Amino acid sequence: KAGVTQTPRYLIKTRGQQVTLSCSPISGHRSVSWYQQTPGQGLQFLFEYFSETQRNKGNFPGRFSGRQFSNSRSEMNVSTLELGDSALYLCASSLATWTVSYEQYFGPGTRLTVT
Amino acid sequence: QKEVEQNSGPLSVPEGAIASLNCTYSDRGSQSFFWYRQYSGKSPELIMSIYSNGDKEDGRFTAQLNKASQYVSLLIRDSQPSDSATYLCAVNLYDAGGTSYGKLTFGQGTILTVHP
């Protein structure tokens, strides 16, 4: 089975721009979670989507948004980029149900650099 | 106090020794506990999951969970240089609303170095 894929792998943007990152989960997985990883803050939860519904959201500003499509692929968008948004963005897929969460498997990540 | 805390590192052990990694968490009815390994420049890789009290063994890895003490640990037997990485403890903590959908709360990680 193919793993979680993320595109692009690397991205350089300028302050004020917006960016869209894409994630394709493992086949059969309907839950996709997004995380931001920085050296100072570690891994922090952004949001989770299941069956095209956002079920959970972390403590990030509204500039961070996401969506999920009917094939479970997910995108996250960051608008009005700030220098502090430079990070590794990870998505993880899970064989979750509406009521139970299981193991999460991470993709390779997208390294975003904001200049 | 952080919600998930790991023992401060870095941890250095000789090849062949047992590496012991520890993690404590705030109690909010947590049900799911995970250990991830992350090599430098790579994404986290799931190595163990544990859902009930006691021990769970998988090859050289043993996870131990004690919900009463809010404690989860990972033992790596016969440590190899290839085990050198950052180990992340993750917990599926319930939030104030009693949900935890898809959200893992991570510890800060413990850097393990296994020297030949």
Side-chain angles (χ1 to χ4, degrees):
Chain A
K1 226 180 215 185
V4 180
T5 59
Q6 291 187 245
T7 56
R9 294 291 311 279
Y10 303 92
L11 209 48
I12 300 175
K13 290 286 188 178
T14 304
R15 271 179 300 175
Q17 289 185 314
Q18 74 165 20
V19 66
T20 299
L21 311 181
S22 181
C23 172
S24 292
I26 293 170
S27 178
H29 287 193
R30 295 167 65 186
S31 169
V32 174
S33 298
W34 287 89
Y35 296 86
Q36 180 196 67
Q37 186 174 31
T38 59
Q41 299 298 317
L43 268 156
Q44 293 187 290
F45 173 77
L46 282 155
F47 30 66
E48 187 256 8
Y49 286 87
F50 178 86
S51 209
E52 301 180 68
T53 301
Q54 184 184 89
R55 296 195 299 180
N56 208 347
K57 190 176 188 305
N59 296 322
F60 279 82
R63 300 185 297 106
F64 292 81
S65 63
R67 59 178 176 168
Q68 187 180 38
F69 302 95
S70 58
N71 62 358
S72 295
R73 189 177 69 86
S74 178
E75 289 181 346
M76 68 163 282
N77 183 276
V78 188
S79 62
T80 319
L81 284 166
E82 300 177 0
L83 294 178
D85 297 333
S86 295
L88 180 66
Y89 289 89
L90 294 157
C91 82
S93 79
S94 171
L95 196 65
T97 67
W98 278 110
T99 55
V100 180
S101 294
Y102 295 106
E103 294 89 349
Q104 294 187 14
Y105 298 90
F106 283 88
T110 295
R111 173 74 62 185
L112 172 64
T113 302
V114 182
T115 62
Chain B
Q1 185 181 355
K2 292 185 178 180
E3 295 177 308
V4 179
E5 291 201 66
Q6 297 184 233
N7 54 322
S8 58
L11 178 64
S12 181
V13 300
E15 185 174 355
I18 295 175
S20 177
L21 304 161
N22 304 313
C23 175
T24 57
Y25 61 94
S26 59
D27 184 19
R28 285 213 300 272
S30 309
Q31 297 297 323
S32 310
F33 307 84
F34 308 94
W35 283 98
Y36 288 84
R37 175 176 63 196
Q38 187 172 25
Y39 292 113
S40 180
K42 301 293 186 182
S43 62
E45 172 193 10
L46 178 68
I47 53 174
M48 289 289 283
S49 61
I50 186 165
Y51 297 91
S52 55
N53 280 327
D55 294 359
K56 179 182 177 183
E57 188 175 317
D58 184 0
R60 296 186 296 111
F61 299 96
T62 299
Q64 300 173 315
L65 175 62
N66 184 326
K67 291 186 179 181
S69 300
Q70 297 166 222
Y71 175 91
V72 58
S73 67
L74 179 71
L75 298 177
I76 306 174
R77 291 182 301 280
D78 188 24
S79 296
Q80 300 297 309
S82 59
D83 294 326
S84 298
T86 298
Y87 287 80
L88 297 160
C89 170
V91 183
N92 195 215
L93 292 172
Y94 290 128
D95 60 23
T99 62
S100 63
Y101 299 126
K103 176 182 178 181
L104 294 180
T105 301
F106 286 83
Q108 74 276 25
T110 299
I111 298 172
L112 171 67
T113 301
V114 181
H115 52 87

